[in-house]
Amino acid sequence: MVVNVADFIASLGGAAPAPQLSAPLAGLWWAARGDWDQAHKIVQDDKGRDAAWVHAYLHRVEGDLGNAGYWYRQAGQPAAKDSLEAEWERIAAALLGSTT
């Protein structure tokens, strides 16, 4: 997956995510803006593993650990045991292709 990091970062200050962003990144964008309903809607409509990972994270943040576990399994990811902030950074780094 090719992701334009500049598009993601530039769109953070806008009213909507950049249209060329993948569903998982658009979901993270809406989550960063605090619109959890829109973040869920975007990732639940995408059947990819990255979207499932973001969906798991959203449920984890909301304290819905049963659904979080389901989506972690769908993503092929282990259930997160680190902090929510560390999980966010891990997901964002993976989706943006960063190693930091």
Side-chain angles (χ1 to χ4, degrees):
M1 171 169 90
V2 177
V3 174
N4 189 334
V5 176
D7 286 339
F8 179 74
I9 293 169
S11 72
L12 286 174
Q20 63 269 32
L21 290 181
S22 66
L25 281 175
L28 286 181
W29 187 92
W30 285 107
R33 300 289 295 231
D35 191 336
W36 296 95
D37 291 337
Q38 186 65 17
H40 273 290
K41 182 180 183 301
I42 288 171
V43 296
Q44 74 188 11
D45 292 340
D46 186 290
K47 303 300 183 212
R49 292 178 71 190
D50 289 339
W53 189 11
V54 172
H55 206 170
Y57 171 79
L58 296 174
H59 281 292
R60 182 176 175 222
V61 169
E62 295 169 331
D64 184 354
L65 301 182
N67 274 324
Y70 170 82
W71 287 107
Y72 278 118
R73 288 188 298 279
Q74 296 304 308
Q77 294 286 339
K81 301 204 182 321
D82 48 3
S83 70
L84 292 172
E85 293 81 11
E87 174 77 352
W88 173 277
E89 290 174 10
R90 188 164 58 98
I91 294 169
L95 294 180
L96 293 170
S98 171
T99 56
T100 58

